[in-house]
Amino acid sequence: MTTPELIVTTAVFAPLAGAAIAGLFGRYIPEKVSMTVTTGLLFLACLLAWTTFTQVAWGSWTRPFTVELAPFINIGKFQSFWSVRVDTLSAVMLIVVTTVSSLVHLYSWAYMAEDEHKPRFFAYLSLFTFAMLALVTAADFMQLFFGWEGVGLASYLLIGFWYHKPTANAASIKAFVVNRVGDFGFALGIMTVFWSFGTIRFAEIFPAVAAHGHDTWVFAGQTWRLMDLACALLFVGAMGKSAQFFLHTWLPDAMEGPTPVSALIHAATMVTAGVYMVCLLSPMFEYAPTAKAIVTLIGAVTALFAATVGLAQNDIKRVIAYSTCSQLGYMFFAAGVGAYQGGMFHLFTHAFFKALLFLGAGSVIMGMHHEQDMRKMGGLWKYMPVTYAVMMIGTLAITGVGLPGVELGFAGFYSKDAIINAAYLAGLNNPIAGFAFMVGLFAAGLTSFYSWRLVFMTFHGTAKWGHDAHHADDHGHDAHADAHAHDDHGHGHDHTPHESSWVALTPLVILAVGAVAAGYVFHNLFVGEGRTEFWRGAIFTLPTNHVLDYEGKLPEWVVWAPLAVTAAGFVIAWFTYIRYEGFGARLAARKGPLWTFLYNKWFFDELYDATFVRAAKFLGDLFWKGGDQKLIDGLGPNGVSAVSYAVGKGTGRLQTGYVYHYAFVMLLGVAALLTYALYSF
């Protein structure tokens, strides 16, 4: 094995080694050993991933390569190998996953300090990371599916980590079941690809796409384009994994897991798998215009839906969760209009500022003694200055603050504007892309409003955690506090908010640097003039695809519109929660129809419960109580046993135990025999 192959293979399998050590031996070794081993191996994987990325982007590894480790499944033409595929796309995902995951591991030392099951938690985190790394380095659909299901399993374990909480159990089951719906479509898509190409290996499929691009399939009297059908089915899997409209309901409930889990799932791993898959399969999607239209439409609707719901949520983690859902919509409609590089760029920058926001929210939750309701916060900037500073940076990044004329801003400015500009250019000839452009602009304004609402309700305004800050003693404790927050283990606290330890703050500072600089540093490589050489074919676009060549082709109002709507969202949030503090609370207290609609998440949970859940329960009861119990068991084992019991019970009555009864029966028998003899002879 060559040095490059050894480096990338070690980067992929180091988290698995950590998961095995902590998971299998965590009971027998000190918990700090488990934590040190898993965290250390993640930082090793991160170092090797950055080495891989720099060599691929600027070094000597200019040609993609695949390390085949062992056979996986070999059945006829269905050939799959355990592999590590290295190209620009997988190298980008390697650094995104390992960077965020290693920082989450470090942050968890502080957040999970009082938990009794730290080895199990760190083992799950490392297992999650390995599954994601196996996914992004897959060389065929089978390993991709393995990683796909691996992150699903790990998310189930992590969301339900505090299994003593019924809500955590319900949330983990919900995530698992909803993802199975998407995975059914994903499996059908893989079957369609294999049926069409006779292989599941990317290196064999992609060169043959052009030849099969116009193949059709006649089914139920209709003619279907095979490429559209395959890509649409594969996208159903992405909808489940990346929480797109209709299959999004599991994502907010995933907040039941510990905050580091939320950061890992939402920033760089599970939810980005769908975006990565669509960009990886760009050679197929470029020949599937109908499937691309579906991706564009679903992505745009998701961006709008999640942004509207985020306006009315009060749980600090749920607001950020719906923000993730909305930002994923941006990434998908970018891919749908053909700006795959823009979608990957936003995935890259989003990993920094979304992990920053989630871990910052975790710092707030720790400082507030595990209170998550923003209505019970306020005025925290004085008590948590570092957390406040990094959360401000994360908010400026996610809202895309920057100056278009001089091209200077935070990370989200570069990637979000690239997507909106590409959607505008594509929309000149594509009405669905035009719809995505308008939705992208409107959602940017909503993003600004709910993001600044979170900052203002949490860090500014009047303190609502039940004490007068002027009565705090010299140690920062308040003798007259009457707040009563409960942590995840049910213990009550009555303390003044406090800043987190530097073990928790260090990852936040590192992520803040990425949230500031990632867009500026990598803009030219991802979506600028250097993108062709940077991607080197890892992302394929047709010669007619010029949606990212928007320089000098956009009207001034398009260039400045994102900044304008972002500023409008900030101003409205400032007036609502600072200038006229309490106005937002009074609006919510009225519980008007619009607020109720948004607060209840467009009533999707209620709709699904009334249709799918209750219908499934009705069918289950029908087949169980009617079919199984009454019909099968009633006529079968239960019926036979009932007859046998009745016969036995009736026969048992003949056994009285009295001699004269038996003598009488014997006499009757003799009489019967004599009667038979007399009449017979």
Side-chain angles (χ1 to χ4, degrees):
M1 186 176 290
T2 63
T3 300
E5 293 175 344
L6 182 61
I7 288 174
V8 295
T9 304
T10 304
V12 171
F13 284 94
L16 179 62
I21 293 170
L24 298 176
F25 305 107
R27 294 184 178 182
Y28 312 107
I29 58 179
E31 62 180 23
K32 284 193 176 180
V33 174
S34 297
M35 297 160 63
T36 302
V37 168
T38 52
T39 306
L41 287 172
L42 248 299
F43 274 95
L44 172 64
C46 181
L47 175 63
L48 297 176
W50 275 99
T51 301
T52 301
F53 176 77
T54 54
Q55 288 295 322
V56 169
W58 300 292
S60 58
W61 304 359
T62 55
R63 295 180 62 84
F65 63 90
T66 300
V67 186
E68 291 191 350
L69 302 173
F72 185 12
I73 297 177
N74 295 324
I75 304 174
K77 293 182 179 180
F78 197 92
Q79 302 286 322
S80 177
F81 290 84
W82 293 112
S83 305
V84 178
R85 179 184 51 83
V86 178
D87 60 9
T88 308
L89 192 62
S90 62
V92 168
M93 292 303 296
L94 279 173
I95 61 170
V96 168
V97 173
T98 57
T99 301
V100 174
S101 184
S102 58
L103 293 175
V104 166
H105 273 70
L106 178 60
Y107 178 89
S108 299
W109 280 62
Y111 195 88
M112 303 297 289
E114 298 179 3
D115 197 273
E116 299 176 355
H117 306 287
K118 287 188 279 292
R120 179 164 62 91
F121 180 76
F122 278 80
Y124 289 170
L125 285 183
S126 293
L127 178 63
F128 197 117
T129 306
F130 164 71
M132 190 65 191
L133 293 176
L135 188 158
V136 301
T137 57
D140 58 53
F141 274 107
M142 201 65 237
Q143 185 177 326
L144 182 69
F145 191 72
F146 167 82
W148 200 266
E149 296 305 302
V151 292
L153 168 65
S155 69
Y156 170 80
L157 296 173
L158 285 167
I159 295 169
F161 179 76
W162 285 318
Y163 54 83
H164 59 276
K165 295 171 60 179
T167 51
N169 287 325
S172 62
I173 293 172
K174 186 175 183 180
F176 197 80
V177 171
V178 172
N179 273 276
R180 297 292 73 72
V181 176
D183 291 350
F184 178 68
F186 189 50
L188 289 177
I190 295 174
M191 296 175 195
T192 305
V193 170
F194 178 68
W195 179 59
S196 303
F197 293 92
T199 180
I200 58 169
R201 306 186 72 177
F202 302 141
E204 298 173 2
I205 293 172
F206 294 162
V209 168
H212 291 267
H214 301 287
D215 288 358
T216 58
W217 177 43
V218 178
F219 177 74
Q222 299 291 323
T223 301
W224 307 79
R225 287 190 58 177
L226 276 176
M227 209 56 61
D228 277 319
L229 180 62
C231 290
L233 289 171
L234 292 167
F235 177 63
V236 172
M239 288 174 62
K241 198 65 66 183
S242 297
Q244 293 299 283
F245 197 65
F246 296 124
L247 296 179
H248 64 275
T249 53
W250 67 271
L251 190 65
D253 291 354
M255 298 302 98
E256 289 293 337
T259 299
V261 174
S262 304
L264 193 59
I265 290 177
H266 290 70
T269 54
M270 182 169 165
V271 296
T272 61
V275 179
Y276 164 79
M277 186 265 288
V278 172
C279 294
L280 171 67
L281 303 182
S282 56
M284 296 173 59
F285 275 89
E286 282 293 89
Y287 287 91
T290 303
K292 285 179 65 178
I294 294 172
V295 173
T296 305
L297 182 61
I298 293 294
V301 172
T302 304
L304 176 64
F305 157 75
T308 59
V309 174
L311 303 175
Q313 303 306 304
N314 298 311
D315 186 307
I316 188 171
K317 287 171 64 177
R318 283 181 177 264
V319 174
I320 303 173
Y322 278 107
S323 166
T324 298
C325 196
S326 181
Q327 297 303 308
L328 288 166
Y330 275 95
M331 299 175 206
F332 274 112
F333 80 67
V337 301
Y340 307 98
Q341 301 92 331
M344 284 301 300
F345 189 29
H346 200 52
L347 185 157
F348 179 76
T349 60
H350 177 265
F352 291 101
F353 56 72
K354 186 50 60 69
L356 174 61
L357 289 171
F358 262 117
L359 297 185
S363 180
V364 171
I365 292 168
M366 286 190 287
M368 284 294 294
H369 312 289
H370 295 272
E371 177 61 67
Q372 297 183 196
D373 193 334
M374 296 187 299
R375 294 171 297 183
K376 299 178 182 178
M377 299 181 186
L380 295 182
W381 70 271
K382 295 180 292 185
Y383 302 91
M384 310 180 71
V386 179
T387 301
Y388 171 64
V390 295
M391 286 287 280
M392 282 289 291
I393 292 173
T395 302
L396 290 167
I398 194 173
T399 55
V401 174
L403 295 174
V406 295
E407 297 301 322
L408 185 64
F410 291 83
F413 160 72
Y414 296 93
S415 56
K416 181 197 70 178
D417 280 24
I419 291 173
I420 291 175
N421 293 341
Y424 173 81
L425 203 59
L428 297 177
N429 301 309
N430 183 345
I432 296 180
F435 169 74
F437 165 72
M438 297 304 298
V439 166
L441 274 182
F442 184 56
L446 298 179
T447 300
S448 178
F449 177 84
Y450 68 65
S451 297
W452 288 110
R453 172 179 178 263
L454 183 151
V455 171
F456 294 149
M457 289 182 69
T458 304
F459 295 101
H460 292 275
T462 306
K464 304 172 185 66
W465 24 276
H467 84 286
D468 183 358
H470 297 292
H471 294 293
D473 63 26
D474 294 333
H475 300 287
H477 299 294
D478 179 17
H480 304 286
D482 60 2
H484 188 64
H486 290 270
D487 66 11
D488 296 294
H489 303 286
H491 304 299
H493 293 279
D494 191 13
H495 304 294
T496 298
H498 60 83
E499 185 62 277
S500 301
S501 68
W502 276 104
V503 175
L505 294 177
T506 299
L508 295 179
V509 174
I510 296 173
L511 290 168
V513 173
V516 172
Y520 177 81
V521 173
F522 293 98
H523 173 263
N524 184 60
L525 292 178
F526 276 78
V527 297
E529 294 178 356
R531 66 179 184 272
T532 302
E533 184 176 348
F534 175 72
W535 291 109
R536 294 194 187 96
I539 291 178
F540 172 81
T541 55
L542 289 172
T544 55
N545 184 341
H546 300 290
V547 294
L548 285 173
D549 298 324
Y550 49 75
E551 291 294 335
K553 300 179 181 178
L554 302 175
E556 281 296 309
W557 72 269
V558 173
V559 174
W560 289 92
L563 181 60
V565 296
T566 298
F570 168 81
V571 171
I572 296 172
W574 183 82
F575 271 98
T576 306
Y577 294 98
I578 299 296
R579 180 65 179 84
Y580 300 103
E581 185 179 359
F583 179 68
R586 291 192 295 273
L587 280 179
R590 294 178 183 175
K591 296 185 178 180
L594 179 60
W595 180 89
T596 303
F597 181 67
L598 299 181
Y599 181 77
N600 289 283
K601 302 158 287 188
W602 292 24
F603 292 100
F604 262 98
D605 285 324
E606 291 78 3
L607 176 64
Y608 284 177
D609 181 69
T611 52
F612 299 116
V613 177
R614 293 186 183 180
K617 187 181 179 190
F618 171 77
L619 288 175
D621 286 345
L622 177 65
F623 288 116
W624 168 43
K625 295 179 180 178
D628 193 26
Q629 287 187 341
K630 293 183 179 180
L631 186 62
I632 298 175
D633 288 348
L635 297 178
N638 289 348
V640 173
S641 63
V643 172
S644 177
Y645 175 76
V647 172
K649 187 176 181 181
T651 306
R653 291 176 181 174
L654 299 177
Q655 305 295 325
T656 64
Y658 294 108
V659 175
Y660 58 86
H661 284 170
Y662 300 149
F664 178 69
V665 171
M666 291 173 65
L667 181 61
L668 289 177
V670 171
L673 285 172
L674 289 174
T675 303
Y676 175 74
L678 289 173
Y679 281 96
S680 297
F681 301 102

